[in-house]
Amino acid sequence: MSDLYLSRIRNWFLSSPPAEWAINRLRETLIGSLSQGPIPGHVAFEMDGNRRYARSHKIETVEGHHLGFEALARVLEICYKCGVKVVTVYAFSLENFHRPKYEVDGLMQLAKVKLEQLIQHGELLDRYGASVRVLGRLDLIPPDVLEVVERAVAATSHNTTCVLNICFPYTSREEMTTAIRTTVEEYSTTPRPHSTPFSQSRITQKILSKQGDKPEGLDSIEETPSQSDDHDQDDAVSTATTLHSDPSTQKSEGSEKVAIYPNAETITPETIDKHLYTSGCPPLDIFVRTSGVERLSDFMLWQCHQDTHIFFLKCFWPEFDLWHFLPVLVEWQHRQKQKQREEKPRRVKQA
């Protein structure tokens, strides 16, 4: 009974106006101090533990998700106040469609309600100039929810300072598959303008090099500048890509101009980056997952690179606030400063 009494006293004291004022002042001071150091440009949150939080507190699962959304609002304000430009959250996985129908329907309706609230009371996003982007398989979202999603995106499209990426419904493997498919389509359906195929001298050299029968006087053949250009161009063109040429782009018979497609060997990681859902976002600096589970669970697999710092926290997502994010940001800043100290002697030696 004494523990319950002390708990009630503590809650009463923390909810009193003087205590709330003091805590808010402390929060503002801490956030202001953090913003003086290095600031991550992109932070991702895997919001895990809503259901377990609900079970541990003996409340409905949907109520646990409601509290999770309130935690998201707190975290967004902290991130934007600190100067983070892009926040990406994992709101709904494609795998969640395998959950009981009542829970899936509840999550969809929750998303609809919260997005509608975002539209009606968008002060937080407007205050920090944050636009909403919904990433994932939008074709799987129910029509009534999709309509609200589109309105939320449109309502914040004028904001250009920060970005809130909501992955819903999403998996990283599906994102990468879509990016690769789009890249293949681009490389197989977009001809290079004003390209010529193989020059006659190039074809002759290729054939003779295979036969090992090089006629006299071939070494004395001097190429014109246009032929030299053709050689360079031919080296960057894959012969296989010409199999999918669009007849509308081909010239009439007897003309040297035909549709030539980009060489697939020129595809780089940056090429794939341009076709990801997160295209245009800065590299991922911090990845946070709550609930004590230590795996990525098909979230931001491509975006996690050699400089991404991954933090697995034991708290459930509805509990997440400044006091949990503070150690994460402080440790990241410490690592950044340490990295700068290590790189400084290298730059001096190179100079």
Side-chain angles (χ1 to χ4, degrees):
M1 183 65 67
S2 60
D3 290 341
L4 179 61
Y5 179 75
L6 290 174
S7 176
R8 288 178 176 176
I9 291 292
R10 183 173 61 253
N11 292 336
W12 171 83
F13 173 75
L14 293 176
S15 61
S16 64
E20 285 186 349
W21 179 87
I23 292 174
N24 288 334
R25 293 296 300 173
L26 178 60
R27 287 168 61 92
E28 295 297 326
T29 302
L30 288 173
I31 292 174
S33 300
L34 290 172
S35 62
Q36 300 304 311
I39 298 298
H42 188 177
V43 180
F45 295 98
E46 190 157 354
M47 306 181 294
D48 192 21
N50 291 342
R51 293 192 299 171
R52 277 171 284 171
Y53 179 86
R55 285 196 297 266
S56 65
H57 288 76
K58 296 180 174 56
I59 59 177
E60 293 293 331
T61 300
V62 173
E63 182 61 24
H65 291 300
H66 275 284
L67 295 174
F69 184 86
E70 293 179 5
L72 173 60
R74 294 195 302 268
V75 171
L76 286 178
E77 185 161 20
I78 294 169
C79 288
Y80 293 147
K81 277 186 176 181
C82 289
V84 177
K85 295 300 181 183
V86 179
V87 176
T88 301
V89 297
Y90 202 3
F92 191 90
S93 169
L94 287 171
E95 301 299 325
N96 288 348
F97 283 113
H98 299 303
R99 292 184 179 182
K101 186 178 184 303
Y102 76 89
E103 185 175 349
V104 174
D105 293 342
L107 288 172
M108 288 294 174
Q109 290 306 308
L110 173 63
K112 180 180 178 180
V113 170
K114 295 306 180 182
L115 287 172
E116 286 178 337
Q117 292 178 357
L118 196 65
I119 297 171
Q120 296 171 1
H121 309 286
E123 298 88 358
L124 174 62
L125 297 179
D126 287 338
R127 188 187 316 151
Y128 298 103
S131 61
V132 173
R133 296 171 56 188
V134 180
L135 316 179
R137 289 286 305 276
L138 303 186
D139 57 301
L140 299 179
I141 300 177
D144 59 324
V145 181
L146 181 60
E147 187 270 333
V148 179
V149 166
E150 292 173 345
R151 283 199 289 124
V153 172
T156 59
S157 60
H158 61 281
N159 294 330
T160 57
T161 304
C162 301
V163 174
L164 169 60
N165 291 323
I166 303 175
C167 296
F168 172 83
Y170 167 98
T171 62
S172 192
R173 287 175 298 173
E174 192 278 330
E175 178 186 22
M176 289 186 285
T177 301
T178 301
I180 293 170
R181 184 186 301 117
T182 306
T183 302
V184 171
E185 291 175 354
E186 177 184 305
Y187 270 64
S188 60
T189 61
T190 306
R192 288 170 46 176
H194 308 298
S195 295
T196 60
F198 304 100
S199 64
Q200 186 63 39
S201 61
R202 183 68 168 174
I203 295 173
T204 303
Q205 288 184 4
K206 289 290 185 181
I207 294 174
L208 294 178
S209 64
K210 290 183 178 180
Q211 294 178 346
D213 183 16
K214 191 172 182 180
E216 296 181 1
L218 187 59
D219 291 336
S220 63
I221 296 177
E222 295 184 0
E223 296 179 348
T224 63
S226 61
Q227 290 175 325
S228 178
D229 293 342
D230 286 342
H231 289 194
D232 296 337
Q233 196 172 53
D234 295 338
D235 289 336
V237 178
S238 171
T239 57
T241 57
T242 62
L243 297 177
H244 306 284
S245 58
D246 183 356
S248 63
T249 64
Q250 294 182 353
K251 302 296 182 178
S252 59
E253 185 176 355
S255 172
E256 294 185 359
K257 300 287 186 179
V258 297
I260 298 298
Y261 295 90
N263 185 0
E265 294 181 359
T266 62
I267 296 175
T268 63
E270 290 72 23
T271 309
I272 305 299
D273 280 336
K274 295 176 182 178
H275 295 97
L276 293 172
Y277 296 146
T278 55
S279 173
C281 295
L284 182 61
D285 295 307
I286 296 177
F287 180 106
V288 177
R289 177 168 186 167
T290 55
S291 83
V293 177
E294 298 185 359
R295 60 175 184 269
L296 302 187
S297 295
D298 215 352
F299 178 51
M300 304 294 281
L301 299 182
W302 179 277
Q303 290 81 358
C304 287
H305 54 89
Q306 70 274 13
D307 292 325
T308 300
H309 297 273
I310 301 176
F311 298 88
F312 297 110
L313 307 182
K314 295 187 180 299
C315 67
F316 295 129
W317 177 252
E319 301 169 324
F320 192 83
D321 59 10
L322 173 64
W323 312 113
H324 296 93
F325 188 53
L326 181 64
V328 169
L329 193 52
V330 169
E331 183 173 347
W332 182 86
Q333 290 182 336
H334 172 70
R335 293 179 184 178
Q336 293 300 115
K337 293 177 181 178
Q338 186 177 22
K339 182 180 177 181
Q340 292 174 0
R341 287 194 298 268
E342 292 173 352
E343 290 179 350
K344 188 175 181 180
R346 298 175 188 171
R347 289 195 296 266
V348 172
K349 289 181 180 180
Q350 291 176 356

